[in-house]
Amino acid sequence: MTDQPMTTAAANQPTSATPVAPNPDPAATPASAQAPAPGAAPDAALQSLREQLAGGDAAMMKQLERYRSTDEISKAFREGYKNAKNGGRQIELTDASTSEEVMAYREANGIPQDATEYPGAFRDGFEVTDADKAILSDFKAAMHERNVPPKMAAAALDWYQDFAAAQAQDLNAQLARVAGETQKTLRAEWGGDYDGQIGAAQELMKAHLGQDGFGEMMSLRLMDGSRLQDSLPFVKMMATIGADYYGSTAILTGDIEATGKTLEAQKQELLALRVANPEKFKSDDVQGKLTKIYAQLEKVSART
């Protein structure tokens, strides 16, 4: 190849090679390849340069439109040259990387410029909670801010889903274990009064929290994964308070009138001992029971 202009004869011969020497005749240069007129607006000049560099390639034109000045285009070209010089190995970003370098890196790795468009979603079958949704949003923002390639972010998200699923499985197993142990302990301790004790606790809480509030409170998870409703100390405490509040642990449906009838029946049974067994009726045991029943009936009457 020579720096000398082609001869007229050489120029007339067909060739597939692209001439490297500039055409000295501006009039012979296609209008689309000429430099912008000195008086052209900066945006028009930049757009003209983009069109020349794109050469009709729509994809290249779209890429070039990302650059807002000829200086950004020049820097991107130099970055590409560095990559090629390093055998195609991409140069990693550093704290000193320019915004243009970050833009080029994101383009090369499929990272969108807008964090909201960063790829990533929970897989089918994963039980997504509100907390998971918030975590995913923060996760995508963090991955985008750190310019993590989507494939690497997807791998991290897969790990999180595996971890969360295993943790949920462990917590559910703990819930079932604690619930079973609590019920077994209370049935052994309360015997036939189990349903009444549980009924008293439930009705007391529903009366003050409402049905929805009761359901929300009972489903609260403790640190070990079990529910509040399966906490042995809590259930025993509420049963005691409920029995005192309603005057009896015989509540099965929350029907205060039915509770009153149950207490009345117990009272009449004991009073019948005055004729059937006067000595037993006068005993401290029977008199103590009667005193307690009268007190309970007074409480029930006050709430009807």
Side-chain angles (χ1 to χ4, degrees):
M1 186 175 294
T2 177
D3 293 334
Q4 297 299 322
M6 292 188 299
T7 62
T8 304
N12 291 332
Q13 295 178 1
T15 176
S16 59
T18 302
V20 295
N23 192 326
D25 184 4
T29 303
S32 61
Q34 293 182 23
D43 288 347
L46 177 59
Q47 184 64 15
S48 177
L49 176 60
R50 290 170 178 152
E51 293 174 356
Q52 294 179 55
L53 294 174
D57 187 327
M60 177 59 72
M61 187 64 185
K62 184 177 180 180
Q63 171 63 24
L64 289 168
E65 287 176 347
R66 293 176 177 272
Y67 304 108
R68 296 163 294 180
S69 67
T70 55
D71 185 52
E72 289 187 4
I73 294 176
S74 176
K75 288 182 178 179
F77 171 80
R78 291 196 298 271
E79 185 64 29
Y81 174 75
K82 291 178 183 177
N83 291 338
K85 189 176 180 181
N86 284 301
R89 296 189 305 274
Q90 190 177 66
I91 298 176
E92 296 297 326
L93 295 176
T94 67
D95 292 340
S97 296
T98 65
S99 59
E100 291 78 14
E101 290 171 337
V102 171
M103 184 182 297
Y105 181 87
R106 287 179 172 175
E107 178 69 23
N109 287 277
I111 303 173
Q113 299 302 320
D114 188 344
T116 60
E117 299 175 1
Y118 198 83
F122 291 117
R123 57 175 174 249
D124 293 339
F126 181 76
E127 296 183 7
V128 183
T129 65
D130 290 339
D132 290 325
K133 293 177 182 178
I135 288 174
L136 179 60
S137 178
D138 292 342
F139 171 79
K140 291 169 68 173
M143 294 295 99
H144 184 267
E145 181 181 355
R146 291 165 175 76
N147 299 299
V148 177
K151 288 184 178 180
M152 295 177 62
L157 185 59
D158 279 341
W159 175 88
Y160 169 77
Q161 291 174 92
D162 291 340
F163 171 79
Q167 187 178 49
Q169 186 175 11
D170 291 343
L171 290 177
N172 288 335
Q174 173 72 355
L175 181 154
R177 185 186 66 79
V178 173
E181 290 179 354
T182 296
Q183 186 176 120
K184 182 179 179 180
T185 299
L186 292 178
R187 285 191 180 279
E189 182 177 334
W190 289 340
D193 290 335
Y194 176 84
D195 290 334
Q197 295 277 16
I198 294 298
Q202 291 179 344
E203 293 307 318
L204 174 66
M205 296 182 70
K206 290 176 183 177
H208 292 277
L209 300 174
Q211 184 66 42
D212 292 341
F214 170 74
E216 291 176 1
M217 188 169 184
M218 290 296 92
S219 63
L220 289 175
R221 289 286 190 107
L222 304 181
M223 291 297 293
D224 66 349
S226 63
R227 296 170 300 188
L228 179 62
Q229 71 180 54
D230 299 319
S231 169
L232 183 60
F234 176 78
V235 175
K236 294 180 74 171
M237 176 187 73
M238 295 309 301
T240 300
I241 297 174
D244 180 68
Y245 183 86
Y246 287 108
S248 173
T249 60
I251 301 175
L252 299 179
T253 63
D255 188 341
I256 296 178
E257 182 179 356
T259 301
K261 289 179 180 180
T262 300
L263 290 170
E264 183 65 32
Q266 293 178 27
K267 183 186 76 171
Q268 293 303 326
E269 181 180 346
L270 293 175
L271 289 177
L273 292 174
R274 286 183 299 187
V275 176
N277 192 339
E279 290 298 322
K280 185 176 182 180
F281 176 76
K282 296 177 182 179
S283 68
D284 292 341
D285 179 57
V286 171
Q287 291 301 311
K289 287 180 179 180
L290 278 172
T291 300
K292 184 176 181 180
I293 288 175
Y294 279 121
Q296 291 174 331
L297 281 172
E298 184 177 350
K299 290 182 179 180
V300 171
S301 178
R303 294 182 173 90
T304 57

